[in-house]
């Protein structure tokens, strides 16, 4: 599993010392009233960046050479069906930026945002955003560029307050996870007969803060005892240091005598599970994802010790057959997977990539075309999002939006390792997430 920080390394980032300017609104063309909100959305009478009378330019932030055929097939299919808001879709490459190795995260954010601002082919939407930076997304939003986070991700609790034109169908804030998950851990039996349990947070973004302020107190309410909280710096790029830190953590867990460990956040805490297996730490783990991918020392025994609490249908480790079964009654998913079939692209290899891209484009299309405005801009997008209510996502079990909440996840589901397929499979019914 990749952390928000490590995913940055897969993208071009940079540093340029400049001031960043945003877009200012002009006179209103329409007052779009949300069906779920008493407020009135004022939509500027002008198109946003990267929008012309016949085209909308977007970036797929998870585009690589290996995924090029998938992107081409999907963009071609959507354009053949009329595009979005009467405009064809144009896929642009991410801006390429070089930075020194010593660049801070803030400097990387600043440089990336500036690169979008200065490019000739402006960008209206960033899809499949794997960076997860609050400041960087806020900067892009000020320019009029909307952002859709990577489906299945956890984002900081402040994301949607500071970056109001950032919306994710399969995204969950760490605050909502921290509030709802403890009761679900209890109801599904993970904490049953537990003698002693601990929480390990991952050091990513403000996950440590939310773990201490919200998750641990809510867990205490659910079970009647206070778990110990341990912090693990999962964003380190030094593998030896990670392994040493994981060993130290395991020794602390053994000394504490815990029999259940709950991981909190979006970081990779796999090193702890691996170190625990080597040190004979006999515990069960709860993980806020559906899979602990094999490889790099992760054995079936380690996978079997993990109970996932997932919301993504596009996670690695989940077979395409399971995805198709879960999405059998979803017309949007059938359409997306049929695009792959018509392009003679392998479903098992490409389904997760395709579903995420289709989900982002479907949200863009439904929101913009339902906004009530002939203009395509960030304000129209958000007005349309609030009108959607529920959304037929193809990457998560249940998705929807409401005033002040731009993360779409409405349900989790347990997933467990299944030896017969050597994979994780979803079990039980939907576990509702409120808030």
């Amino acid at each position: 599993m990749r952390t928000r920080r490590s995913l940055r390394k897969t993208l071009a980032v940079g540093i340029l010392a400049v001031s960043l300017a945003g877009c200012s609104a002009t006179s209103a063309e329409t007052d779009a009233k949300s069906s779920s909100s008493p407020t009135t959305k004022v939509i500027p009478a002008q198109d946003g960046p990267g929008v012309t009378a016949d085209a909308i330019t977007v970036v797929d932030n998870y585009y690589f050479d290996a995924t090029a055929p998938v992107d081409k097939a999907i963009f071609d299919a959507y354009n053949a069906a009329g595009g979005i808001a009467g405009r064809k879709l144009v896929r642009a490459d991410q801006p390429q930026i070089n930075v020194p190795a010593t660049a801070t995260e803030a400097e990387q954010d600043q440089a990336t945002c500036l690169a979008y601002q200065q490019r000739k082919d402006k960008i209206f939407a960033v899809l499949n955003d794997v960076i997860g930076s609050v400041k960087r997304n806020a900067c892009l939003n000020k320019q009029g560029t909307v952002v859709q986070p990577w489906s299945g991700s956890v984002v900081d609790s402040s994301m949607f307050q500071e970056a109001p034109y950032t919306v994710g169908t399969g995204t969950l804030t760490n605050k909502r996870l921290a509030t709802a998950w403890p009761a679900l851990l209890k109801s599904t039996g993970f904490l049953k007969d537990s003698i002693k349990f601990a929480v390990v947070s991952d050091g990513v973004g403000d996950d440590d803060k939310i773990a201490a302020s919200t998750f641990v107190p809510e867990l205490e309410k659910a079970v009647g005892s206070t778990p110990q909280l341990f912090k693990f710096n999962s964003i380190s790029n030094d593998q030896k240091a990670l392994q040493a830190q994981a060993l130290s953590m395991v020794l602390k867990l053994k000394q504490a005598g815990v029999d259940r460990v709950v991981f909190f956040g979006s970081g990779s805490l796999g090193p702890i599970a691996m170190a625990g297996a080597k040190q004979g730490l006999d515990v069960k783990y709860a993980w806020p994802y559906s899979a602990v991918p094999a490889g790099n020392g992760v054995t079936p025994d380690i996978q079997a010790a993990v109970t996932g609490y997932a919301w993504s249908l596009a996670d690695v480790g989940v077979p395409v057959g399971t995805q198709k079964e879960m999405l059998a009654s979803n017309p949007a998913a059938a359409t997306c997977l049929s695009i792959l079939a018509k392009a003679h692209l392998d479903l098992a290899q490409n389904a997760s990539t395709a579903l995420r891209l289709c989900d982002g484009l479907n949200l863009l299309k439904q929101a913009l075309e339902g906004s009530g405005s002939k203009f395509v801009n960030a304000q129209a997008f958000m007005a349309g999002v609030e009108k959607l209510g529920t959304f037929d996502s193809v990457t998560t079990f249940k998705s929807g939006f409401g005033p002040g909440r731009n993360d779409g996840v409405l349900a989790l589901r347990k997933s467990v390792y299944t030896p017969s397929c050597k994979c994780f499979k979803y079990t039980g019914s939907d576990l509702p997430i409120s808030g």
Side-chain angles (χ1 to χ4, degrees):
M1 188 185 304
R2 288 170 293 182
T3 68
R4 283 174 249 171
R5 177 77 180 189
S6 66
L7 280 168
R8 287 172 166 274
K9 301 298 183 180
T10 68
L11 305 173
V13 291
I15 173 172
L16 291 169
V18 294
S19 60
L20 302 176
C23 296
S24 58
T26 60
S27 59
E29 174 262 341
T30 186
D31 289 342
K33 294 185 177 180
S34 166
S35 60
S36 58
S37 172
T39 61
T40 298
K41 303 295 181 184
V42 179
I43 301 174
Q46 64 181 31
D47 288 327
V51 180
T52 66
D54 57 5
I56 300 175
T57 300
V58 303
V59 161
D60 177 5
N61 235 357
Y62 199 67
Y63 176 89
F64 299 101
D65 290 343
T67 65
V70 177
D71 277 54
K72 184 180 187 306
I74 291 174
F75 275 82
D76 286 350
Y78 276 71
N79 284 333
I84 292 178
R87 298 161 171 87
K88 70 175 184 178
L89 288 164
V90 177
R91 189 198 66 78
D93 290 330
Q94 305 165 38
Q96 299 297 311
I97 314 160
N98 296 315
V99 298
T102 56
T104 65
E105 186 169 330
E107 290 169 336
Q108 293 173 9
D109 290 340
Q110 184 183 49
T112 304
C113 189
L114 178 68
Y116 275 96
Q117 184 184 52
Q118 291 188 332
R119 62 189 295 160
K120 292 181 180 180
D121 56 336
K122 301 298 184 182
I123 303 300
F124 176 67
V126 177
L127 310 178
N128 278 325
D129 184 51
V130 295
I131 291 179
S133 165
V134 175
K135 297 299 182 183
R136 175 266 200 176
N137 287 356
C139 183
L140 289 175
N141 286 176
K142 287 179 181 178
Q143 295 180 23
T145 296
V146 303
V147 179
Q148 293 188 28
W150 171 261
S151 182
S153 62
V154 180
V155 298
D156 286 357
S157 59
S158 61
M159 175 66 78
F160 304 116
Q161 285 73 47
E162 295 191 34
Y165 303 131
T166 298
V167 180
T169 61
T171 305
L172 189 62
T173 62
N174 53 10
K175 186 66 175 289
R176 289 183 67 222
L177 176 65
T179 302
W181 196 22
L184 301 184
L185 286 168
K186 181 180 180 180
S187 69
T188 56
F190 178 79
L191 298 173
K192 184 180 180 180
D193 300 326
S194 173
I195 300 171
K196 202 169 187 180
F197 59 101
V199 173
V200 178
S201 60
D202 63 8
V204 176
D206 64 356
D207 288 343
D208 287 353
K209 175 183 176 182
I210 297 301
S213 67
T214 307
F215 187 62
V216 168
E218 290 296 327
L219 199 54
E220 182 179 4
K221 290 180 187 177
V223 298
S225 59
T226 304
Q228 289 185 262
L229 174 61
F230 298 90
K231 297 177 182 180
F232 181 77
N233 179 21
S234 67
I235 62 177
S236 172
N237 292 312
D238 186 333
Q239 293 303 309
K240 289 185 178 180
L242 272 178
Q243 292 172 7
Q245 186 187 176
L247 175 59
S248 175
M249 180 66 66
V250 165
L251 295 177
K252 291 178 182 178
L253 293 171
K254 289 185 74 172
Q255 185 177 18
V258 302
D259 64 345
R260 298 288 189 276
V261 175
V262 182
F263 290 149
F264 182 78
S266 61
S268 178
L269 294 167
I272 296 175
M274 289 186 284
K278 292 179 181 178
Q279 295 297 317
L281 179 64
D282 185 18
V283 301
K284 299 294 185 182
Y285 302 97
W287 194 289
Y289 289 96
S290 66
V292 184
N296 298 320
V298 177
T299 66
D301 286 343
I302 293 174
Q303 291 176 305
V306 175
T307 299
Y309 287 80
W311 55 93
S312 177
L313 285 165
D315 275 349
V316 295
V318 180
V320 67
T322 299
Q323 292 174 334
K324 290 180 70 176
E325 179 182 342
M326 296 297 301
L327 296 167
S329 61
N330 189 316
T335 298
C336 187
L337 295 178
S338 71
I339 293 172
L340 293 182
K342 289 177 181 178
H344 306 290
L345 295 170
D346 180 73
L347 286 179
Q349 184 177 358
N350 298 302
S352 293
T353 300
L355 288 170
R356 282 189 168 100
L357 183 54
C358 288
D359 220 29
L361 293 176
N362 288 347
L363 178 62
L364 206 62
K365 181 178 179 67
Q366 291 182 36
L368 288 172
E369 293 180 356
S371 70
S373 172
K374 66 181 180 181
F375 294 100
V376 172
N377 52 46
Q379 293 83 354
F381 174 68
M382 287 310 305
V385 165
E386 286 200 1
K387 286 184 177 182
L388 286 175
T390 58
F391 175 74
D392 291 330
S393 171
V394 299
T395 63
T396 194
F397 303 109
K398 190 175 182 181
S399 185
F401 304 95
R405 184 176 59 75
N406 296 3
D407 56 334
V409 173
L410 295 180
L412 307 182
R413 191 172 291 199
K414 280 181 63 177
S415 66
V416 296
Y417 181 71
T418 306
S420 60
C421 69
K422 297 181 180 179
C423 66
F424 277 72
K425 285 193 173 182
Y426 306 112
T427 63
S429 58
D430 285 350
L431 306 170
I433 289 284
S434 60

